[in-house]
Amino acid sequence: MRRLALAALTLLALVPCAPLRAADEAADASRLFQQDIKPLLNEFCSACHNPDKKKGHLNLEDYTKEPPRIEDREMWEQTRDMLQSREMPPEGKPQPTEETRQKLIDYIDSRLASFRCDDKVLPGRVTLRRLNRAEYNNTIRDLTGVDFQPAADFPADEVGYGFDNIGDVLSLSPILMEKYLAAAEEIASRAIDVNYPPSPKRRRIEAERMKRFGDDSIRPEGNLLGMYREGGGKAEFVIEKKDDYRISVRAAGDQAGPEPPKLGLQIDGKGVKTFVVENHRDKPRAFSVVIPLEPGNHELSIAYLNNYVVQNHPDPRMRGDRNLFADYVDVIGPLNLAPPPPSASHALIIPHQPKRGEERKAAHEILRRFASRAYRRPATDAEVAALVRFADLVRSEGGNFNEGIQLAVQAALTSPHFLFRWELDPTPAGKDEIRNLSGHQIASRLSYFLWSSMPDEELTRLAGEGRLTDKNVVAAQVSRMLKAPKAAAFVENFAGQWLQIRNLAEMTPDPQSFPEFDDELRAAMKRETELFFEAVMREDRSVLELLDSNFTFLNERLARHYGIDGIKGEKFQRVSLKPEHNRGGVLTHASVLTITSHPTRTSPVVRGKWIMEQILGAPPPIPPPGVPLLEEQKAVDATASLRTRLEQHRANPDCAVCHNKLDPLGFALENYDGIGAWRDLDGRFPIDSAGVLPTGEKFSGTVDLKNILKHREDFTRSLAKKMLTYALGRGLEYYDKCAVDDACKLLKSQDYKFTALVAGIVTSDPFLRQMRQRETE
């Protein structure tokens, strides 16, 4: 009953309420309410919502004396939703007919649409949005240079209002947080080479395996070469390039006599260096020398030079047995070769390796730049200091500079300022008020709208200079950004969801009904639509060509499916269309025709619903409960044509409310079978693709229907709404009507050019401004 109360109240809220309404308009609205709405309230609502019962704490008499306030606007939309879902009136209470129900829904829509742009216009407020999977992958690619789709195994993104970038539905589950942590570690390890610059090549010669010279007192001792008398070992090695090399011998000794053991090093029979080995056997260390070497084969030898054995010396300090032990010999080099260039991802994060003693200063510079890019605005001193502490921690535990930066990058990639598109108010407001977005917030909105990724250097520069608060500068960026390679993301993510061609991956046409369908054809269908939309976008063509055009993109497989000759090979080509091809515009793309069909046949109902929702922006009502599906109607002759069966289906008044709108649109596409191939017969029945729209407009097929649609404002207005929803990452409100109106006016004034529509979106108040939050929120 609480829902009924809400519904009743909302119905009362459907009259113009702005203070500047003309008196006669207000009077007309009042008469309409008194004549059409109040009787319905009395019939379906007043029994529960009167001064005595006040179900849901609602007394209708309190709301029938004067027009309601604009503050009740949210309930208008809720009421419409309740009527469409048939939650109002509640079960067990008198129900309106479907015709009456639809009349109420249309009335609500008309009242919502009556909001004027000379009233107080609100820009709305966007919920804090996390990056969806596509945005995460693209941002990682542009931020780190690593392109390996780290979000591939993330949980699927929730969808709202037809798109997967809506802040209200993009939740953060525990499992997703775990995925973020694992991905950050993998990304940092791929992006940063902790061993760069690489150490010179090291050739290790194990001493105990060297060829021994001297007597049997030169012998292996475990993993050491023990030298108990003069003598030693030798080994051969190869040098490929002339340069300096470091020869390093790890050795230790038994100390005895007046001096430590002496280790002689020779190369090719020539003495190089004599090392004095003062450390004891339990503390081996390396003894090194740098020498030039020529390419070719070389012989290296080490030798014990000053054996000493005296056990009966008068001075006890001089008694003992001096010995020498060698662990291994390293030949390291070349030493003077310039290191190879770092990977692109490494250089993007660490442009230059710091000199010794300058590591901490370099860490501050590197992490400030990285954090500012990752957070899409200048990082604060506190944020940078926090990241530097991670680098300091690694170095304090013995790690190198690059390992420290790697851990700090991991931390940045799991920060809320990276994972979320942060547009929270810099300071709380005492009441709802409107503020302009900062330049960096606008740059972020632009880049995620058109590229599904972070701002590039030019957007960041313009934001830093304060120029992105100028609408002319914002509009000027549109053409540049739509021509950039990264605008392919707009095709994939906006067009793919608007036209619903992403659903192709889930379509499974029946193999017996459509044996020619396979994954190759599925991929070609999707690619045609993507290339076509991209051409309209990049060439700045009229958006009306999305409905009807004289070209498309085909490869041999898809052209054969369409019955178009002369196209060879797997590569897609731009193809000029002729009238006999029966193609042109997305309505005739196999991708759209397949996703709007059943597995075994076409569906005029589904196709009509798709046109209403995606093209005209007018979703049909939800079917009433208990209405049988077409296949379940026993009274229908199953041997009749599909059109005949649908006409019998519409004989039910409850069905006719929806199907009178849906079916004619779908009939226009009946010449295309369930996977988009042209046909003249449906089984043994000739196709009748003629129809009459609820507006009285008649058509005799797809060509006529396209001509009707492209000359109505419904399409451009619907496209503007879809694009604004995608750009804002939220559902549209009543006050967004003004932004849609302005975008459509600009579009029409510029011959419906694609960039004009985008410019209208990105220069609108909802895109550039937002409402502050109240202190209590």
Side-chain angles (χ1 to χ4, degrees):
M1 298 306 291
R2 182 176 180 275
R3 289 179 174 176
L4 177 59
L6 177 62
L9 176 60
T10 0
L11 285 173
L12 286 166
L14 304 178
V15 294
C17 52
L20 299 180
R21 300 289 191 210
D24 55 346
E25 184 177 345
D28 290 342
S30 179
R31 283 193 298 271
L32 178 62
F33 172 76
Q34 294 295 331
Q35 294 174 6
D36 291 357
I37 300 305
K38 186 175 180 179
L40 294 175
L41 294 175
N42 291 334
E43 181 177 358
F44 297 110
C45 308
S46 294
C48 296
H49 303 288
N50 55 54
D52 296 327
K53 292 187 177 181
K54 292 185 180 179
K55 290 289 184 70
H57 304 287
L58 173 65
N59 174 16
L60 285 181
E61 290 187 7
D62 292 339
Y63 298 95
T64 56
K65 299 174 182 178
E66 59 182 14
R69 303 167 302 165
I70 195 170
E71 283 78 2
D72 298 324
R73 62 186 180 273
E74 293 181 4
M75 290 185 289
W76 306 354
E77 295 175 343
Q78 293 179 29
T79 296
R80 178 189 59 198
D81 294 341
M82 289 181 187
L83 287 166
Q84 287 182 331
S85 63
R86 293 169 179 80
E87 295 182 66
M88 194 289 292
E91 293 183 9
K93 297 295 180 180
Q95 300 290 318
T97 65
E98 287 303 310
E99 182 179 0
T100 299
R101 187 184 299 273
Q102 190 60 42
K103 179 179 181 180
L104 291 172
I105 293 171
D106 291 343
Y107 179 76
I108 293 174
D109 286 336
S110 69
R111 293 301 93 204
L112 292 174
S114 68
F115 178 79
R116 290 180 174 177
C117 293
D118 54 5
D119 299 327
K120 180 182 179 182
V121 178
L122 303 174
R125 184 171 60 245
V126 179
T127 303
L128 185 68
R129 285 164 289 170
R130 71 164 172 82
L131 302 180
N132 64 23
R133 291 188 298 177
E135 293 168 341
Y136 185 93
N137 282 336
N138 293 341
T139 302
I140 290 297
R141 176 199 65 204
D142 296 338
L143 176 64
T144 69
V146 175
D147 189 10
F148 74 105
Q149 304 297 304
D153 66 342
F154 287 7
D157 295 313
E158 299 90 342
V159 175
Y161 305 99
F163 299 103
D164 62 4
N165 68 339
I166 304 299
D168 286 341
V169 301
L170 286 172
S171 59
L172 180 57
S173 63
I175 189 173
L176 180 56
M177 194 64 236
E178 291 180 8
K179 295 289 186 181
Y180 280 145
L181 293 171
E185 184 175 0
E186 177 71 10
I187 293 161
S189 66
R190 288 183 179 228
I192 298 174
D193 183 357
V194 296
N195 295 315
Y196 186 85
S199 301
K201 181 179 179 181
R202 183 183 297 265
R203 303 167 179 84
R204 175 155 294 182
I205 302 169
E206 300 294 344
E208 73 274 14
R209 297 182 181 180
M210 297 176 77
K211 183 178 180 180
R212 299 183 294 279
F213 59 89
D215 60 25
D216 292 342
S217 298
I218 310 300
R219 60 181 182 268
E221 295 286 352
N223 61 346
L224 302 174
L225 179 63
M227 291 170 276
Y228 299 95
R229 297 288 185 272
E230 280 88 350
K234 60 180 66 176
E236 292 186 347
F237 64 96
V238 179
I239 293 298
E240 294 83 13
K241 185 176 181 62
K242 178 181 179 180
D243 200 60
D244 290 340
Y245 292 79
R246 176 176 290 107
I247 311 298
S248 180
V249 185
R250 193 168 189 261
D254 290 336
Q255 305 297 328
E259 62 182 358
K262 293 183 178 179
L263 171 64
L265 172 65
Q266 288 187 344
I267 300 292
D268 299 330
K270 297 180 180 180
V272 174
K273 180 87 172 179
T274 298
F275 301 104
V276 177
V277 183
E278 297 178 333
N279 50 302
H280 290 265
R281 189 196 301 199
D282 60 345
K283 294 182 180 180
R285 57 173 288 247
F287 299 86
S288 301
V289 63
V290 175
I291 61 171
L293 290 174
E294 297 287 336
N297 295 326
H298 297 273
E299 183 184 69
L300 176 149
S301 66
I302 56 174
Y304 178 26
L305 303 179
N306 61 336
N307 185 48
Y308 177 88
V309 183
V310 177
Q311 300 297 351
N312 56 0
H313 196 284
D315 184 351
R317 293 175 299 177
M318 301 301 291
R319 299 171 190 168
D321 184 3
R322 181 191 301 149
N323 301 301
L324 182 64
F325 302 90
D327 187 359
Y328 55 76
V329 181
D330 281 341
V331 181
I332 306 167
L335 299 178
N336 299 318
L337 288 180
S343 67
S345 60
H346 185 99
L348 186 60
I349 299 173
I350 306 177
H352 305 287
Q353 295 296 135
K355 297 179 181 179
R356 186 179 299 274
E358 298 182 356
E359 290 88 352
R360 202 164 195 277
K361 177 183 177 183
H364 271 277
E365 295 173 354
I366 289 169
L367 293 175
R368 182 177 296 279
R369 179 176 181 273
F370 182 83
S372 296
R373 296 178 67 238
Y375 302 162
R376 280 87 68 179
R377 44 89 178 151
T380 66
D381 291 342
E383 290 167 339
V384 176
L387 295 177
V388 171
R389 283 196 290 272
F390 284 100
D392 290 342
L393 175 64
V394 171
R395 295 185 63 231
S396 70
E397 295 179 349
N400 64 30
F401 176 80
N402 291 349
E403 289 173 319
I405 298 298
Q406 189 180 79
L407 182 62
V409 165
Q410 288 184 46
L413 294 181
T414 55
S415 166
H417 295 284
F418 170 74
L419 297 175
F420 289 83
R421 293 172 57 188
W422 206 268
E423 293 180 356
L424 297 185
D425 299 317
T427 57
K431 59 181 180 179
D432 275 351
E433 57 185 40
I434 297 171
R435 75 172 180 91
N436 296 325
L437 293 177
S438 71
H440 291 286
Q441 290 170 340
I442 294 171
S444 186
R445 283 199 175 189
L446 275 171
S447 63
Y448 283 100
F449 173 34
L450 299 179
W451 291 343
S452 296
S453 187
M454 59 183 286
D456 65 354
E457 289 187 5
E458 181 166 343
L459 286 175
T460 301
R461 176 180 59 80
L462 291 172
E465 294 172 354
R467 297 175 60 194
L468 279 185
T469 56
D470 184 335
K471 288 187 176 183
N472 293 326
V473 175
V474 172
Q477 287 296 305
V478 169
S479 180
R480 177 186 76 89
M481 295 181 70
L482 290 179
K483 291 178 181 178
K486 288 191 286 188
F490 188 72
V491 179
E492 179 181 356
N493 298 320
F494 172 72
Q497 294 182 89
W498 166 48
L499 299 174
Q500 299 182 339
I501 58 174
R502 285 185 175 183
N503 297 345
L504 263 177
E506 303 170 4
M507 301 304 296
T508 55
D510 178 58
Q512 293 185 341
S513 302
F514 306 104
E516 63 272 36
F517 186 86
D518 57 18
D519 287 340
E520 182 182 350
L521 184 58
R522 184 201 311 270
M525 290 175 175
K526 184 170 183 283
R527 190 61 182 146
E528 176 196 17
T529 305
E530 290 173 339
L531 289 171
F532 174 70
F533 185 92
E534 185 172 8
V536 173
M537 176 186 76
R538 294 194 187 278
E539 297 170 18
D540 199 16
R541 306 178 74 91
S542 168
V543 298
L544 299 180
E545 291 191 59
L546 293 169
L547 290 180
D548 192 15
S549 67
N550 60 5
F551 74 96
T552 191
F553 293 84
L554 304 174
N555 65 358
E556 182 176 357
R557 180 65 192 281
L558 189 57
R560 186 168 67 248
H561 182 64
Y562 285 172
I564 297 176
D565 299 326
I567 309 300
K568 302 295 181 183
E570 296 181 0
K571 186 176 181 181
F572 274 79
Q573 309 171 36
R574 191 183 188 115
V575 176
S576 296
L577 297 173
K578 300 176 182 178
E580 59 268 26
H581 292 153
N582 299 306
R583 301 287 166 177
V586 296
L587 295 181
T588 61
H589 282 196
S591 60
V592 170
L593 295 164
T594 300
I595 65 171
T596 55
S597 296
H598 292 313
T600 59
R601 63 169 176 83
T602 62
S603 174
V605 176
V606 176
R607 287 177 175 177
K609 180 175 181 289
W610 185 91
I611 292 174
M612 289 189 68
E613 290 180 337
Q614 308 310 123
I615 301 301
L616 301 178
I622 298 174
V627 175
L629 297 175
L630 182 62
E631 291 84 351
E632 296 173 346
Q633 295 189 97
K634 305 302 182 183
V636 173
D637 181 3
T639 63
S641 69
L642 179 58
R643 178 160 187 150
T644 299
R645 285 184 282 160
L646 281 170
E647 288 172 349
Q648 293 174 343
H649 188 74
R650 292 201 305 277
N652 183 334
D654 287 338
C655 301
V657 172
C658 300
H659 285 271
N660 285 338
K661 297 180 179 180
L662 297 170
D663 295 359
L665 296 170
F667 289 148
L669 303 177
E670 269 295 276
N671 279 115
Y672 303 94
D673 70 12
I675 57 173
W678 181 264
R679 62 179 184 170
D680 294 309
L681 298 175
D682 176 13
R684 59 188 177 86
F685 301 102
I687 300 271
D688 180 3
S689 59
V692 181
L693 299 179
T695 58
E697 296 165 295
K698 298 180 180 180
F699 59 85
S700 59
T702 308
V703 173
D704 287 350
L705 178 63
K706 289 191 293 186
N707 284 331
I708 292 172
L709 296 180
K710 70 183 182 182
H711 287 95
R712 288 169 52 172
E713 292 185 358
D714 305 59
F715 168 64
T716 54
R717 188 168 189 83
S718 173
L719 180 57
K721 287 182 176 180
K722 298 282 187 182
M723 197 173 288
L724 183 60
T725 299
Y726 179 79
L728 297 178
R730 66 166 173 82
L732 300 190
E733 303 288 349
Y734 77 100
Y735 42 73
D736 294 313
K737 172 181 180 289
C738 306
V740 174
D741 288 347
D742 291 343
C744 290
K745 289 177 184 177
L746 181 63
L747 179 65
K748 185 175 182 179
S749 70
Q750 296 187 18
D751 297 324
Y752 298 97
K753 297 296 184 183
F754 193 94
T755 55
L757 176 57
V758 177
I761 298 296
V762 301
T763 57
S764 67
D765 276 0
F767 192 87
L768 299 177
R769 311 173 79 192
Q770 74 174 15
M771 295 166 58
R772 288 187 185 273
Q773 292 183 329
R774 295 176 180 175
E775 290 180 340
T776 56
E777 293 181 342

